[in-house]
Every structure is written in structure tokens, then in C-alpha cells.
């Protein structure tokens, strides 16, 4: 009994620290994994479009660099700037909703979770979402953020119109009918064309989803991957490589009313806090990590089969997440997905990497957006995650895995850890030269480029 009491105390303490200590509610100070620090001495927080235009015009006149930070839900350095930083924290909210056309226009700093809540009032919903909705509308589309579903594109494909401020302070509107080339460049642009001010999303009538989670061996999921990927509207795999465990999450639209309880947020917080406590301890004893993960996942201690029906946004969104994880995300063809996961496992085994989080596999439909990871190719997105690793293990896992996957022509998620050369970018994206041409037109003084972007794209 004493052991259980001690465990309970530990869980409560960790949970309290994670969930109740004061948090920054303003513009982010650091990015998601604390690897990029934003200098607030150079930070501007405009609340009107006129202020944004003036900021860009002043930067253009003085040829100063400008980057925009969203919610900080990013692992790459694409938003970093040692010069001018703009936060859209105060430039958020719904501009308009067209119920007949089923569209919503929002200011660029609006978080996706706030978009979904606003749409509820009008009987509308986002057609697809990722697991987290803390991102801003502009940040999510600009980096190629995605959900899952072989018949659903990434979030940028839901955009019907964009408004942004070019490098010379001009307000540009782009859609499939107005400035179509600029539109294709701007949908996934990593902020290189200008400061996005408004985003219009195509929505659908609100709907419910049935979610079913089943647990299998990793070999079963990989051998049956094409069949499983097509088994539901939205399919994802949660993989634990040390125990060779694979959970298949199958989600379908349904007319059923909600049933089964939404998992209790406090209970889940306790569970996650306990899990994170185990991960934190394991991170100090990395040699124990494989055994700990095998014990946790051997008997479905962490992944429990379930089936329930809830509103779409309650199913798409994971109501909890582990802070301080590090993530990379690569897109390969669906045909190469199973072998790509096997390659990643070989890297983990070869270098004895103490992998302590689930790896997530999702499926995304091809599109025609010039810098989208799904350009002209249906994708399997493999999200690699690791909690509190040593710098050596972090670099080994992400970069050795990427090297092992090069034979599959991987494309990267621009908001997560990546390191690609200009030659690789040009090979990945057939319309790269068109993007470069539009970028030069929109930002002739190159004020929207930071060091990472200039090096990656050779601009």
C-alpha cells in the first residue's frame, strides 16, 4: 500500500507542475521544444492591418529582416529572426462566415481551435484537422500541417482565398480565380512571400465521427498497410518500436449521436503526467528505456482498445500531449511507407536510440500546391518523436533516419526538424523555380528570409 501511496503522490505532484504552474498566455518566448528562443526586444504585436502594413513598409525601406511567429507550435527555425519579429497574437478572430457557401474567413493569428469553436455556432466544421489545434491559421497552412485520410489533403488544401502583405507593403489577395499563380505559391510558403493577414477556409456541415482503436503487432500493420490505410475515412498508426506494437486508429463519419464518454480530461492528465514522469526518469537512464517501453506496451497498459462517437473536432484533436518532445515529419509515397518504417527501426536498433514516445503514421491525399509535401503524390506522413533526448540521440535519430529514407525521395514538414540542401529541394519540388519566381516578385528585397530559409532554398 505504501508503494501505491507514493506513486499517487508522485503523479499528483507531476500533474500539478505540468498543468497548474503559470504559463505564458501571450506571444511565445520559445518554440515547442525549447530549442528556438524568440527575442522579445525586437517583437511587435500589432492589432490592426494598418499597423502590419506600416511595419512591413518600414522594414522594406530600411531593408530589415522580418519573420512572423504564431503560437510557437514548431520545431524548426523558420520563424526565427534576430531582426524584426511580428506576433499575430492580437491579430486574431473571425472576420466573416458565409453559411451558404460554407466558408469562414479568419485573421491570420486565429488559432485553429478557436476557428472550430466559432464554426459550431453556424452548424459548420472543418473537414479535417490534425491532432493539435493550438497552431494559428497562417502558421498551420504555411508549413504544410496535416491530419490524416487518404481522400483528404493537408490543411492548406482547405484554403480558398488568402490575403497577405508583400515585401513592399502592398496588400495582395490570391485565390484560384484571382492571382492563381501567387495563390499556389502562397498556400504553403513558410512566410517567404509576405505577412498573411486573412485566411478563408472551405468548411462543411458539422458532423460526428466514430473512432475505433485496435492494437496489433507492428509486423501485422506493416504487412497489411495498404488495406488498413483504406479501411476508414481517417486512419493513423501509433507505433512503439521497442515493443513492436502498433495501434490502428480508424475514424469514420457517422450519423450516430455521440456515445461513449469523451475521456475525462483530469483522468487523462493524471495518466499523461504519470507517463511523462516515467519518460523523464527513463531519459536519465537511457539504457533502461527499451525495457521500460516494452513493459508499458506489452499488455496494452498505455494503448487501450476503444470505440466511441463524438463531434468531429473532439475526435480529430488529441486532448493531451507530452511537452518537450522533439519531432521530425517526413512524407513518402504510400507504396514506400512500410519499408520506410522498417528503415527507421533499423536506425533505432543500430544506434541503440532510447526511443521513448510513439511514432505516428498518417495518410494524406496529393495536391497541386508548389511547396506542399503532397505535391502530385499521395503521401504517408511519418512523424518521428522523442522525449527529452540527449543532443547526440536527437541528431542520430532524425538525421540518420532521414539519410536512410533518401532512397524513397522523402519530403519534409517545414514546421518540424529538417535539414535539406537546395539541390534536394529542387529535386523534391518540380515547381520550385515557379515558386522562386513568385517569391522574388513578392519580396524583391528578401526581407522575409532568415538564415535557415536562405540556406535551404538558396535564395
Amino acid at each position: 500500500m505504501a508503494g501505491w501511496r507514493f506513486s499517487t503522490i508522485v503523479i499528483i505532484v507531476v500533474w500539478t507542475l505540468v498543468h497548474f504552474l503559470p504559463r505564458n498566455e501571450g506571444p511565445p518566448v520559445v518554440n515547442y521544444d525549447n530549442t528556438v528562443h524568440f527575442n522579445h526586444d525586437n517583437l511587435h504585436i500589432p492589432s490592426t492591418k494598418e499597423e502590419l502594413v506600416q511595419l512591413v513598409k518600414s522594414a522594406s525601406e530600411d531593408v530589415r529582416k522580418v519573420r512572423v511567429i504564431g503560437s510557437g507550435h514548431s520545431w524548426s527555425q523558420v520563424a526565427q529572426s534576430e531582426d524584426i519579429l511580428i506576433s499575430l497574437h492580437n491579430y486574431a478572430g473571425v472576420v466573416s462566415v458565409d453559411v451558404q457557401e460554407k466558408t469562414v474567413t479568419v485573421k491570420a493569428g486565429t488559432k485553429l481551435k478557436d476557428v472550430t469553436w466559432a464554426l459550431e455556432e453556424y452548424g459548420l466544421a472543418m473537414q479535417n484537422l490534425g491532432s493539435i489545434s493550438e497552431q494559428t491559421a497562417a502558421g498551420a497552412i504555411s508549413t504544410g500541417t496535416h491530419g490524416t485520410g487518404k481522400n483528404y489533403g493537408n490543411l492548406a488544401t482547405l484554403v480558398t482565398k488568402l490575403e497577405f502583405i508583400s515585401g513592399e507593403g502592398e496588400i495582395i489577395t490570391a485565390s484560384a480565380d484571382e492571382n492563381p499563380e501567387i495563390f499556389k505559391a502562397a498556400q504553403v510558403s513558410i512566410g517567404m512571400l509576405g505577412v498573411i493577414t486573412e485566411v478563408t477556409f472551405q468548411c462543411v456541415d458539422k458532423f460526428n465521427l466514430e473512432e475505433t482503436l485496435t492494437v496489433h503487432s507492428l509486423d501485422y500493420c506493416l504487412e497489411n498497410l495498404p488495406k488498413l490505410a483504406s479501411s476508414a475515412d481517417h486512419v493513423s498508426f501509433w507505433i512503439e518500436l521497442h515493443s513492436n506494437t502498433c495501434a490502428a486508429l480508424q475514424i469514420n463519419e457517422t450519423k450516430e449521436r455521440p456515445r461513449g464518454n469523451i475521456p475525462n480530461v483530469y483522468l487523462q492528465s493524471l495518466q499523461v503526467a504519470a507517463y511523462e514522469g516515467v519518460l523523464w526518469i527513463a531519459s536519465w537512464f537511457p539504457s533502461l528505456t527499451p525495457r521500460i517501453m516494452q513493459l508499458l506496451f506489452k499488455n496494452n497498459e498505455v494503448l487501450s482498445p476503444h470505440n466511441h462517437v463524438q463531434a468531429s473536432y473532439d475526435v480529430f484533436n488529441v486532448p493531451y500531449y507530452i511537452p518537450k518532445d522533439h519531432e521530425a515529419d517526413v512524407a513518402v509515397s504510400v507504396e514506400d511507407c512500410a519499408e520506410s518504417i522498417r528503415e527507421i527501426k533499423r536506425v533505432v536498433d543500430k544506434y541503440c536510440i532510447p526511443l521513448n514516445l510513439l511514432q505516428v503514421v498518417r495518410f494524406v491525399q496529393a495536391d497541386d500546391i508548389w511547396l506542399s509535401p503532397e505535391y502530385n503524390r499521395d503521401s504517408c506522413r511519418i512523424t518521428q518523436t522523442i522525449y527529452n533526448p540527449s543532443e547526440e540521440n536527437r541528431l542520430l535519430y532524425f538525421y540518420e533516419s532521414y539519410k536512410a529514407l533518401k532512397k524513397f525521395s522523402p519530403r519534409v514538414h517545414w514546421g518540424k526538424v529538417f535539414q535539406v540542401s537546395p539541390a534536394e529541394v529542387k529535386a523534391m519540388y518540380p515547381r520550385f523555380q515557379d515558386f522562386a519566381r513568385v517569391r522574388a516578385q513578392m519580396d524583391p528585397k528578401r526581407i522575409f528570409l532568415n538564415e535557415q530559409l536562405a540556406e535551404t532554398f538558396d535564395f
Side-chain angles (χ1 to χ4, degrees), residues 125-424:
M126 297 288 283
Q127 185 183 53
N128 200 8
L129 287 168
S131 298
I132 305 295
S133 289
E134 292 294 325
Q135 308 97 319
T136 62
I141 66 168
S142 295
T143 53
T145 295
H146 60 94
T148 189
K150 67 184 184 64
N151 295 319
Y152 299 85
N154 61 43
L155 298 190
T157 64
L158 302 180
V159 176
T160 60
K161 186 167 70 171
L162 282 169
E163 180 188 89
F164 64 92
I165 303 166
S166 73
E168 295 184 323
E170 182 183 357
I171 296 177
I172 305 292
T173 302
S175 66
D177 300 317
E178 182 181 3
N179 295 317
E181 281 208 327
I182 294 175
F183 183 57
K184 285 301 155 193
Q187 280 175 284
V188 178
S189 64
I190 328 173
M192 291 190 284
L193 269 60
V195 178
I196 296 175
T197 51
E198 290 183 7
V199 181
T200 300
F201 289 108
Q202 183 64 59
C203 304
V204 295
D205 292 326
K206 68 177 183 179
F207 58 101
N208 292 337
L209 290 171
E210 179 184 23
E211 175 183 276
T212 302
L213 186 144
T214 53
V215 183
H216 311 275
S217 69
L218 177 58
D219 287 340
Y220 173 86
C221 286
L222 297 187
E223 288 166 7
N224 294 279
L225 189 144
K227 179 181 176 182
L228 288 170
S230 301
S231 64
D233 296 335
H234 308 271
V235 174
S236 58
F237 298 150
W238 295 350
I239 296 173
E240 202 296 296
L241 288 174
H242 293 304
S243 62
N244 290 314
T245 302
C246 178
L249 195 66
Q250 295 159 300
I251 299 172
N252 284 303
E253 186 171 345
T254 179
K255 299 297 184 184
E256 279 192 74
R257 296 175 63 84
R259 58 172 172 77
N261 296 324
I262 299 176
N264 184 285
V265 66
Y266 297 107
L267 179 59
Q268 283 196 329
S269 296
L270 284 170
Q271 292 170 336
V272 171
Y275 181 38
E276 187 183 355
V278 172
L279 295 182
W280 184 81
I281 293 169
S283 70
W284 290 97
F285 303 96
S287 62
L288 299 178
T289 297
R291 182 59 180 154
I292 290 172
M293 298 302 282
Q294 288 165 3
L295 289 172
L296 283 173
F297 287 88
K298 182 179 179 181
N299 298 311
N300 295 341
E301 296 284 347
V302 177
L303 296 172
S304 300
H306 64 249
N307 174 273
H308 62 85
V309 175
Q310 301 295 341
S312 59
Y313 48 82
D314 282 329
V315 174
F316 284 137
N317 283 178
V318 176
Y320 56 87
Y321 49 90
I322 299 292
K324 291 187 180 179
D325 76 322
H326 298 252
E327 292 191 15
D329 186 302
V330 293
V332 297
S333 71
V334 177
E335 293 76 16
D336 291 327
C337 181
E339 191 55 36
S340 295
I341 296 166
R342 293 188 182 102
E343 286 287 355
I344 291 172
K345 180 166 173 54
R346 290 183 192 111
V347 168
V348 171
D349 293 341
K350 177 181 178 180
Y351 293 101
C352 300
I353 298 170
L355 207 56
N356 49 17
L357 282 179
L358 297 174
Q359 313 309 296
V360 183
V361 176
R362 287 168 284 187
F363 303 91
V364 188
Q365 187 180 48
D367 59 50
D368 60 353
I369 300 169
W370 294 352
L371 284 192
S372 166
E374 279 69 53
Y375 181 79
N376 275 3
R377 184 175 75 180
D378 291 334
S379 290
C380 161
R381 290 284 199 109
I382 304 172
T383 303
Q384 299 172 260
T385 66
I386 187 168
Y387 172 82
N388 197 28
S390 67
E391 185 64 6
E392 179 185 11
N393 282 326
R394 186 181 76 89
L395 294 174
L396 273 174
Y397 184 43
F398 292 144
Y399 297 131
E400 291 300 323
S401 294
Y402 183 74
K403 283 165 59 177
L405 298 184
K406 281 189 177 182
K407 59 188 173 186
F408 302 122
S409 301
R411 293 172 179 165
V412 299
H413 187 311
W414 300 117
K416 301 193 179 182
V417 176
F418 71 85
Q419 187 176 37
V420 294
S421 69
E424 287 174 316

Side-chain angles (χ1 to χ4, degrees), residues 25-176:
E25 293 298 332
V29 178
V30 297
N31 70 331
Y32 192 73
D33 63 355
N34 295 333
T35 57
V36 178
H37 293 256
F38 301 113
N39 184 355
H40 278 210
D41 291 341
N42 301 321
L43 180 66
H44 300 265
I45 315 174
S47 55
T48 68
K49 192 180 300 183
E50 291 73 24
E51 290 177 87
L52 279 167
V53 170
Q54 189 54 50
L55 276 169
V56 174
K57 283 184 176 179
S58 296
S60 179
E61 289 169 4
D62 298 336
V63 195
R64 297 180 64 185
K65 298 295 185 182
V66 177
R67 293 301 293 164
V68 178
I69 54 175
S71 62
H73 190 84
S74 175
W75 290 261
S76 71
Q77 299 187 42
V78 296
Q80 181 61 297
S81 173
E82 294 303 324
D83 204 343
I84 297 173
L85 277 173
I86 296 176
S87 167
L88 299 179
H89 180 74
N90 291 339
Y91 193 74
V94 173
V95 176
S96 64
V97 176
D98 187 326
V99 177
Q100 264 197 326
E101 295 297 323
K102 299 178 184 176
T103 61
V104 59
T105 299
V106 299
K107 294 179 181 178
T110 312
K111 290 186 177 182
L112 293 178
K113 66 179 182 181
D114 296 324
V115 178
T116 61
W117 292 341
L119 289 174
E120 174 76 10
E121 179 184 346
Y122 297 92
L124 299 174
M126 297 288 283
Q127 185 183 53
N128 200 8
L129 287 168
S131 298
I132 305 295
S133 289
E134 292 294 325
Q135 308 97 319
T136 62
I141 66 168
S142 295
T143 53
T145 295
H146 60 94
T148 189
K150 67 184 184 64
N151 295 319
Y152 299 85
N154 61 43
L155 298 190
T157 64
L158 302 180
V159 176
T160 60
K161 186 167 70 171
L162 282 169
E163 180 188 89
F164 64 92
I165 303 166
S166 73
E168 295 184 323
E170 182 183 357
I171 296 177
I172 305 292
T173 302
S175 66

Side-chain angles (χ1 to χ4, degrees), residues 437-455:
R437 171 176 50 81
V438 172
R439 191 216 63 78
Q441 292 171 354
M442 295 295 101
D443 181 25
K445 294 182 181 179
R446 304 169 72 248
I447 67 171
F448 296 121
L449 297 177
N450 66 10
E451 184 177 347
Q452 185 181 33
L453 293 171
E455 289 180 359

